[in-house]
Amino acid sequence: MKKLLFLFTLVLLFSCHNEKNQNEAQASDTKKIAEIKKRLETYINPLDIDYTYMVYNSTQNKSYRSGADPAVIEFKGEYYMFVTRSFGYWHSTDLINWNFIKPEQWFFEGSNAPTAFNYKDSLVYFAGNPAGYGSILYTDDPKGGKWTPSASISTDIQDSELFIDDDGETYLYWGSSNVNPLKVKKLNKDNRFLETGVRKELFNLNEEKHGWERFGENNFHPTLKEGYMEGASMTKHNGKYYLQYAAPGTQFNVYADGVYIGDTPLGPFTYMKNNPMSFKPGGFTNGAGHGITVKQTNGQYWHFATMALASNSQWERRLCMFPTYFDDDGLMYSNTAYGDYPRFGANHPTKAGHHNGWMLLSYKGDVTVSSSLMQIKKFTSDDDAVEVTKLPLEKNTDGQIISKVLTDENPKTFWVADANDDTQWITINMLKPGNINAFQLNFHDHESGIYTRTEGLKHQFTIDVSEDGVNWQTVVDRSTSEKDSPNAYIVLDAAVKAKYVRYNNVKVPGANFAMSEFRVFGLGLEDAPKGVTGFKVNREKDRRDVSFSWDAVEGAQGYNIRWGIAEDKLYQSWQVYDTNEHFMRSLDKDTPYYFTIEAFSENGISVKSDILFTE
């Protein structure tokens, strides 16, 4: 009997040991899967954060959100993002997920064109008063939101950049003008940031040589030739000082950041020959100017910048984030290709910030909607005039209301429902079925009646998909969500094959449910388009201008033109849809360039064409 009991105990112990090993193995596998999913995490531009409603233009009853002029810093291994007139700032541990912090005290009107600097992980300094003057604030606890003002008033801090060098010497760069240059003055960090008396004018725009600095949409305006130089930002790398600046205007698709390089913080500075370093003129959301470059804890640089939405107002803007590099020649550049498509997150081991391969499935899909108070098409012409067209109500043969503006890749067009309740919906019949990975919902503010930072806002909805338009599967359920997501980006756990997508509204901010674009990402079921043939590049008499033409590729949604100052430095790109020609005014007059082109569709991206050279 004792022998049997002993054997039973051994079996029980062995069984428990095996069960423990299995549990540990399962836990290990779960951890590995979680780590892999984290590495494959993605983000999209414009960034999905809870943008603040703006106070300016409130006298005109214009209610809209905006986010512009970001100042992003790393502090003790975490990240803080300060944004114009947001009445606070955002915090992140991974550069993907951001949470808003409401500080204990702040500038009454919010901060305009803010600047922030991490001084040796001991203090964060901040400035950015909308009136152009104010105290420089500081804290050792930005997460807690407790700030102390310095006991002095600093003037000329509009569009400023505070930079403290490794030796403690402190500089303030500033300027926002189409006439005056960027300037710098030295401050005494150890004596209340008082001015030392050192001031210097640095450089101005040179539109006659630099096409991308010319004022206007697509760098053209019939009367105004001088662009605005603003948004100074300083990055020190390998002993060199990279002074970044924005031009030609925040409302334009060609808003970009350029760089001058110096050996000291006071210069002299030399124009970087591959400018602009951050440029996104084509695609869904345009602009990549007035930003800041921050170094991730792993050494990767990121450039945060401003994109133009310009639907309710010319100053309605959003934020973007692009990986940034310094090549072997010390040239600074950002990767903005397919800049408003899903991109790998900051923790990807080899391709952080690169387009992850998911393509746009919803482009030109047939859209029907529950109701329609109005559908608006806005167009900013080359002379900066805004044309507003109220589209007539259209119905299909089944009597359903049609909305073409929701899949046209234009953030300035929008649809407004009759109400804001759970009877409102949007259905997309995509041109072809595909494997869906993600959605981006770009909500529109229509007479929302909100004019400041407002907590408790939420976007509540569900999303269904179907292969036949009859049998539906719910893949997103935010019906009880507490999240405020004006540019909601939602990634599915696994791809799902579908041809139909349906958004079901529950409740969103504002009196009426309204949306500017419903974007669906994944991969189609066919081959990527063939490569482009017949690519021609004609540098015009005005060497800042260049025209392109090429043979249309069957099945292509559009084309991506790439160019740069060398075959291995094709850092710039311009994404266009539904055309086989393009005219660009963004080149530097005296610089030779190399060009190539590729076609893209919902099925992928073609090989690049042979590289062409122009003097």
Side-chain angles (χ1 to χ4, degrees):
M1 186 68 178
K2 290 181 179 179
K3 189 174 182 181
L4 285 174
L5 184 61
F6 175 73
L7 289 174
F8 176 75
T9 303
L10 281 178
V11 170
L12 185 62
L13 287 171
F14 182 74
S15 175
C16 290
H17 181 71
N18 276 352
E19 185 176 348
K20 181 181 178 183
N21 287 344
Q22 288 175 356
N23 290 338
E24 289 177 350
Q26 288 175 353
S28 177
D29 289 343
T30 301
K31 185 178 180 180
K32 288 178 182 177
I33 291 170
E35 289 174 351
I36 291 171
K37 288 182 71 175
K38 188 71 177 174
R39 284 201 302 272
L40 296 179
E41 198 167 16
T42 62
Y43 74 98
I44 198 169
N45 294 313
L47 297 181
D48 178 15
I49 65 170
D50 50 339
Y51 295 94
T52 297
Y53 281 89
M54 294 293 102
V55 66
Y56 49 80
N57 288 331
S58 60
T59 56
Q60 304 172 42
N61 293 324
K62 288 185 178 181
S63 172
Y64 60 91
R65 299 172 186 255
S66 187
D69 319 323
V72 184
I73 60 168
E74 178 270 324
F75 183 69
K76 296 183 178 179
E78 299 181 354
Y79 305 91
Y80 297 86
M81 178 165 64
F82 304 86
V83 181
T84 282
R85 299 180 190 264
S86 293
F87 299 96
Y89 46 93
W90 284 264
H91 165 257
S92 176
T93 59
D94 57 10
L95 292 172
I96 294 177
N97 302 287
W98 296 90
N99 296 306
F100 189 77
I101 294 175
K102 185 177 181 179
E104 290 189 5
Q105 58 182 17
W106 209 239
F107 297 115
F108 176 70
E109 294 177 304
S111 61
N112 193 64
T115 176
F117 194 86
N118 169 11
Y119 184 64
K120 298 182 179 180
D121 269 358
S122 60
L123 288 173
V124 173
Y125 294 102
F126 173 85
N129 188 279
Y133 62 89
S135 295
I136 292 177
L137 312 180
Y138 61 91
T139 184
D140 61 0
D141 182 22
K143 195 183 301 184
K146 298 178 181 179
W147 294 81
T148 303
S150 58
S152 63
I153 298 295
S154 181
T155 59
D156 290 329
I157 61 170
Q158 191 73 20
D159 272 25
S160 61
E161 165 72 344
L162 182 68
F163 173 72
I164 307 174
D165 208 351
D166 299 331
D167 58 5
E169 295 293 297
T170 303
Y171 307 84
L172 192 74
Y173 302 87
W174 82 96
S176 178
S177 173
N178 65 340
V179 177
N180 298 315
L182 284 189
K183 302 174 185 178
V184 62
K185 59 184 176 183
K186 289 191 70 174
L187 306 177
N188 188 336
K189 176 181 65 66
D190 299 319
N191 188 17
R192 299 181 289 121
F193 288 94
L194 296 176
E195 294 188 32
T196 66
V198 176
R199 280 184 174 231
K200 188 177 181 181
E201 291 190 350
L202 297 176
F203 51 83
N204 211 332
L205 298 185
N206 188 345
E207 297 93 341
E208 290 301 314
K209 285 190 174 183
H210 310 147
W212 69 275
E213 294 178 350
R214 285 183 285 183
F215 191 74
E217 190 81 356
N218 295 309
N219 297 118
F220 176 81
H221 195 282
T223 57
L224 298 176
K225 305 303 179 186
E226 295 78 20
Y228 276 80
M229 170 180 267
E230 55 193 8
S233 178
M234 174 62 80
T235 301
K236 185 178 182 181
H237 176 75
N238 282 351
K240 297 286 185 180
Y241 297 84
Y242 293 77
L243 183 53
Q244 296 137 70
Y245 66 101
T250 188
Q251 69 269 45
F252 302 127
N253 66 318
V254 288
Y255 196 43
D257 279 337
V259 174
Y260 276 73
I261 306 174
D263 290 324
T264 75
L266 295 174
F269 290 96
T270 302
Y271 182 80
M272 192 173 70
K273 60 185 178 179
N274 64 302
N275 272 327
M277 62 76 58
S278 175
F279 191 48
K280 190 195 175 299
F284 169 59
T285 316
N286 309 136
H290 196 145
I292 194 170
T293 304
V294 61
K295 191 176 185 180
Q296 193 179 348
T297 53
N298 64 3
Q300 173 66 54
Y301 285 95
W302 295 89
H303 192 69
F304 287 78
T306 306
M307 309 188 94
L309 188 59
S311 182
N312 285 291
S313 164
Q314 291 288 70
W315 311 114
E316 186 177 14
R317 297 165 289 180
R318 294 292 188 266
L319 303 177
C320 57
M321 164 180 143
F322 297 110
T324 299
Y325 311 91
F326 296 86
D327 69 16
D328 292 340
D329 297 316
L331 301 177
M332 187 179 186
Y333 67 98
S334 297
N335 177 353
T336 66
Y338 302 94
D340 49 43
Y341 282 28
R343 306 172 78 81
F344 285 119
N347 50 17
H348 193 281
T350 58
K351 296 181 179 180
H354 290 221
H355 172 218
N356 77 337
W358 293 345
M359 306 304 294
L360 185 64
L361 301 176
S362 51
Y363 183 55
K364 285 192 169 180
D366 295 326
V367 181
T368 54
V369 292
S370 52
S371 62
S372 185
L373 178 67
M374 66 176 68
Q375 298 189 47
I376 299 295
K377 180 178 181 180
K378 289 190 175 183
F379 173 73
T380 303
S381 65
D382 287 343
D383 63 359
D384 196 26
V386 179
E387 302 172 8
V388 181
T389 304
K390 188 172 182 178
L391 302 176
L393 186 70
E394 291 185 79
K395 294 185 178 182
N396 61 18
T397 55
D398 295 326
Q400 296 173 311
I401 300 172
I402 296 171
S403 180
K404 296 178 182 178
V405 302
L406 292 174
T407 55
D408 64 357
E409 285 296 278
N410 182 355
K412 294 185 178 71
T413 62
F414 58 88
W415 158 80
V416 182
D418 284 344
N420 184 5
D421 56 30
D422 59 8
T423 67
Q424 307 303 320
W425 50 264
I426 301 168
T427 298
I428 303 176
N429 177 3
M430 300 188 299
L431 298 184
K432 294 181 180 179
N435 291 314
I436 298 173
N437 290 94
F439 305 97
Q440 187 193 38
L441 307 176
N442 296 279
F443 294 93
H444 176 77
D445 285 305
H446 174 71
E447 299 180 2
S448 301
I450 307 172
Y451 303 101
T452 187
R453 181 77 195 178
T454 304
E455 303 303 326
L457 300 178
K458 58 193 75 171
H459 290 81
Q460 297 178 330
F461 55 86
T462 63
I463 299 177
D464 305 329
V465 299
S466 172
E467 291 193 59
D468 56 12
V470 177
N471 301 292
W472 294 86
Q473 171 191 359
T474 299
V475 292
V476 175
D477 187 348
R478 289 195 179 183
S479 57
T480 60
S481 174
E482 298 295 311
K483 188 174 176 62
D484 182 18
S485 300
N487 297 88
Y489 177 56
I490 305 150
V491 179
L492 302 181
D493 289 335
V496 56
K497 183 181 176 183
K499 189 175 188 295
Y500 299 84
V501 178
R502 183 173 63 201
Y503 169 99
N504 307 292
N505 191 60
V506 176
K507 183 75 173 178
V508 297
N512 295 77
F513 167 43
M515 191 174 288
S516 64
E517 199 78 9
F518 186 175
R519 307 176 80 205
V520 182
F521 291 98
L523 274 176
L525 307 179
E526 302 174 7
D527 294 333
K530 294 181 179 179
V532 177
T533 59
F535 184 45
K536 295 182 177 63
V537 180
N538 180 38
R539 199 117 182 227
E540 304 291 330
K541 184 177 180 180
D542 184 336
R543 306 299 285 172
R544 298 170 299 178
D545 301 342
V546 59
S547 57
F548 306 96
S549 63
W550 57 90
D551 298 332
V553 175
E554 184 179 358
Q557 291 176 340
Y559 306 87
N560 191 41
I561 303 167
R562 298 176 183 261
W563 73 95
I565 62 171
E567 291 191 29
D568 61 346
K569 300 181 189 295
L570 304 178
Y571 300 149
Q572 313 289 2
S573 66
W574 194 314
Q575 190 177 358
V576 297
Y577 288 85
D578 296 321
T579 185
N580 61 333
E581 59 183 17
H582 184 58
F583 188 82
M584 184 172 72
R585 303 179 180 91
S586 308
L587 300 183
D588 284 352
K589 183 177 181 180
D590 301 324
T591 302
Y593 288 97
Y594 297 79
F595 300 88
T596 185
I597 190 172
E598 62 201 13
F600 64 87
S601 73
E602 68 275 15
N603 302 305
I605 303 170
S606 77
V607 296
K608 298 178 180 65
S609 69
D610 291 338
I611 295 174
L612 301 181
F613 172 74
T614 66
E615 290 285 356

